[in-house]
Structures are given as structure tokens and as C-alpha cells.
Amino acid sequence: MNRHSISLLAVSLSLVLGCRGSSADGDDEVGETATDTATETTETTTSESGDSTSESTSESTSSESTDTTDTTDTTDTTDTTTGGLDEGQACGTLLACMNLCPDNEPGCEQVCLDAASMLAIDEYDSVVQCIVDNACQDDACIEANCGAEIYACFTGALTCSELLTCADGCAGLEDCQTSCFYDATALAQGQGQALQTCITDNQCMDDACIAANCGPEFQACAGGMSDVLPCPVIADCVFGCADDPVCIANCQVSASPAAQAEVPPLLECAMVEGCTDLDCTEQACPNEWTTCLSGDLDCVDVVACVEGCAGAELCEYVCVTEASFMSQVLFGALAGCVVDNMCVDDQCIADNCGLELTACGL
């Protein structure tokens, strides 16, 4: 069946990176990627002859997230004439464009295709082919059988910082900004949404306002220490997938290099031991758990790392997971003392947390 004979409605997609449990500080930001990242959908029906009819689509909830205030001074490398990066629009934007084309108007579809990148066209074709192969008549069928294809269509490889750069070069063009969003990883999309929400809530019109009100959100997006997920977050996400292979693959898209090496042995041990959560795995697989949850940084290094995070919670959690268990204990004691005494400056910390500072090596 020719791709032009199917007018796809934008299929709903929950980007399965919602993590829970002992991922602690990482949860808030990681969880942002789990919902509201693709377009809402209405019923799609396809006849045996290949003709299809569709109701009107609702706007993507994610398109607003790319309407980002000028927060970077990077060089503009975006080709705004095509509505995205210089190779063309992303698959999610192509799909939305095709959905808006009236039936039997191939010229409209060709305009959509001309604006898309070759990768976007390939991903779009994969979605359509999957729907045809599975004879899907509704969204439930599409989500059940074409999750991997839909996920690939609505996500890419850009980090949140790269997403900002891309959107910043769009000159306010909404299609371009949306395409940038769909070219980003699920993690980056969530971080971009969190930043945009903060900017909107605080009615920020300049960088000074963003720095004053959205420091943690901006740091999480642009700071570079929140681009990847550590082993405990990835493992916890996988445990929540209930053996769904698409979900498991999506959990691991943003894994750090260390996590890519640490997660498989942990999950293999968990499977052998019959564990389905982190608590069981911690008890049954102590060696793999230790490797997953800790590194070799000392307490002083953790303090410096966390300070560089400027309040970005996922960044701080990555710092902690890279420390030895003893360093994690010492840092936790120091951090707890700071919180208990509501310290906001070094003098307060020195006056109230001297023992903890000394133990940490400061």
C-alpha cells in the first residue's frame, strides 16, 4: 500500500522513561519524559482497499515546549526554511503535516515530504507500514503493535542543550520548534518542557529572569550533567516495564556509558533471582548492586560535582551515584546537616556542620 493512501492521525505516545522507587532525586526530572510528549489522537479507520478516513487532530501538547526564550548564545545552524535542522523536519512534524492534508490532495502531501528529512520519511514509512501490516483500525491496535515505530518517530538524539540551540535558530517558527522537539531524546524533551513551564510561569522575557527563577531547570537542560541517566534510574525504569520489549528499549535510550555496562549484569542477576524491583535486587545481587549504585569519587569530589549542578536534581543524583558508598554516607551527613540548620551560606555551614565538613575532607 502506498504511504500516500493513508492519512495518519497523530498517534498518542507515552514516552516510557517514568522512573520510580530508589532513583530518588532523579525521579522528578526523569518523570517529565513519561507523559504529554506526543499528539493526542482520535479514531483512525482503514478499509481493505487502503482508503482511510480521519477526524480532526488535536494539537500536540509538546509543541508548546519548544517555544523557548533566547537562553543561549550559540551559532545559528538551523535551516528555518525547512522548519527544523538543515536536513529537514522530524518525523513527528511530518506525520502532523500529513494529517492536515485533505483527502485526495497529493500536492499537499508532497509539500510535507519535501520539508522532511530523509530519516523522517523513513521513520514515517515504518509507522505506516506497521499499521498496514497489522491491519490496525484504531489507536489501541497501533499502540499495541507499533510502539517502537511510534517512539522512533517522535524522538531523536538531541540533548536538551542542543534542543535549545535548534529552537533558538527557528526565528519563532512553530513548525521548526516542534521539529526540534521531536529530534530530541525523551529525557531532553522532559527537561525542555520543565524549563519552558518555568519560563511561562514566571513570565520571563530575558535571561536575567530565567537565571533568577529557573536556575535548576536551565542547568538541567543546558549544564551537560543531566544528559544521561545512571544505572539505578535505568534499572528501576526497566523493572516497571513488565517485560515489554519496547518499554525496556526506551528506558535505555539515554543510559550513560557507565550504565550501559552496569545495567545488563544487574538485570541478569535479578532475573535469575526472580527479582522484579530494586529492593529485592539489592538483597539478592549485592555485587551487581554495588557496581550499579556507586563509583569511585570521594566526598570532596561529590561536593564539587553537586555545586556545579546549580540545583538540577538529576545532575546531583548522577554525582552521588559516581561516589563510593562511604563518600555517599559522608556527603549525606553533610547535606543533612546543611538542611537541618537551614544554611544558605558558608559561614552557617562552618558554624554548625564542622564535624561533617572535616569528615568529608573539607
Side-chain angles (χ1 to χ4, degrees):
M1 179 179 293
N2 189 289
R3 67 166 170 261
H4 303 307
S5 66
I6 294 183
S7 177
L8 287 175
L9 291 177
V11 179
S12 63
L13 172 65
S14 292
L15 297 176
V16 280
L17 270 177
C19 299
R20 51 178 172 68
S22 62
S23 54
D25 290 342
D27 283 348
D28 291 340
E29 292 184 45
V30 177
E32 291 288 342
T33 65
T35 58
D36 297 333
T37 55
T39 51
E40 295 179 359
T41 166
T42 53
E43 188 174 292
T44 300
T45 57
T46 306
S47 66
E48 291 183 359
S49 63
D51 295 330
S52 64
T53 60
S54 62
E55 300 176 6
S56 60
T57 60
S58 60
E59 279 191 26
S60 167
T61 58
S62 60
S63 63
E64 296 178 359
S65 66
T66 56
D67 184 15
T68 308
T69 303
D70 181 8
T71 57
T72 58
D73 294 323
T74 53
T75 302
D76 178 15
T77 59
T78 305
D79 178 4
T80 57
T81 61
T82 61
L85 296 176
D86 55 1
E87 68 266 22
Q89 292 183 343
C91 176
T93 312
L94 169 60
L95 192 150
C97 180
M98 298 286 269
N99 292 340
L100 294 175
C101 287
D103 292 339
N104 303 316
E105 190 175 325
C108 174
E109 294 181 346
Q110 190 59 50
V111 170
C112 297
L113 292 167
D114 289 344
S117 69
M118 293 303 297
L119 175 60
I121 294 172
D122 288 342
E123 291 174 340
Y124 175 81
D125 284 345
S126 295
V127 172
V128 175
Q129 191 61 52
C130 180
I131 292 172
V132 173
D133 289 346
N134 290 280
C136 286
Q137 304 289 327
D138 53 38
D139 295 337
C141 174
I142 296 173
E143 292 177 9
N145 295 283
C146 306
E149 290 81 3
I150 293 292
Y151 186 90
C153 182
F154 282 98
T155 61
L158 298 185
T159 65
C160 191
S161 178
E162 292 167 340
L163 168 57
L164 287 186
T165 301
C166 179
D168 203 34
C170 287
L173 298 177
E174 185 175 343
D175 283 349
C176 172
Q177 293 171 335
T178 304
S179 183
C180 292
F181 183 85
Y182 290 141
D183 272 329
T185 66
L187 176 61
Q189 289 177 0
Q191 292 166 338
Q193 286 179 317
L195 176 60
Q196 182 58 44
T197 297
C198 182
I199 291 171
T200 301
D201 289 347
N202 289 280
Q203 299 179 324
C204 287
M205 302 299 293
D206 54 42
D207 291 347
C209 175
I210 295 173
N213 296 283
C214 307
E217 291 83 359
F218 181 75
Q219 184 69 16
C221 182
M225 271 293 286
S226 302
D227 293 338
V228 291
L229 301 175
C231 176
V233 176
I234 299 295
D236 199 31
C237 181
V238 170
F239 282 129
C241 286
D243 297 325
D244 181 344
V246 174
C247 174
I248 292 172
N250 294 344
C251 284
Q252 301 182 68
V253 167
S254 295
S256 69
Q260 292 175 19
E262 294 165 352
V263 170
L266 181 72
L267 295 179
E268 182 178 352
C269 178
M271 181 177 66
V272 170
E273 298 294 335
C275 291
T276 58
D277 56 48
L278 287 181
D279 290 338
C280 171
T281 306
E282 180 180 3
Q283 299 299 319
C285 308
N287 293 333
E288 293 81 1
W289 174 256
T290 298
T291 301
C292 176
L293 197 66
S294 65
D296 55 9
L297 294 185
D298 59 29
C299 186
V300 174
D301 294 329
V302 178
V303 170
C305 182
V306 169
E307 287 179 346
C309 292
E313 293 182 354
L314 177 57
C315 173
E316 293 174 348
Y317 187 63
V318 171
C319 293
V320 172
T321 60
E322 291 181 353
S324 67
F325 276 131
M326 179 56 67
S327 295
Q328 291 178 15
V329 171
L330 296 175
F331 175 77
L334 176 58
C337 180
V338 172
V339 172
D340 290 343
N341 289 279
M342 295 182 288
C343 290
V344 295
D345 56 48
D346 292 342
Q347 189 60 53
C348 174
I349 298 174
D351 291 341
N352 295 281
C353 306
L355 291 176
E356 289 82 2
L357 284 170
T358 300
C360 187
L362 295 168

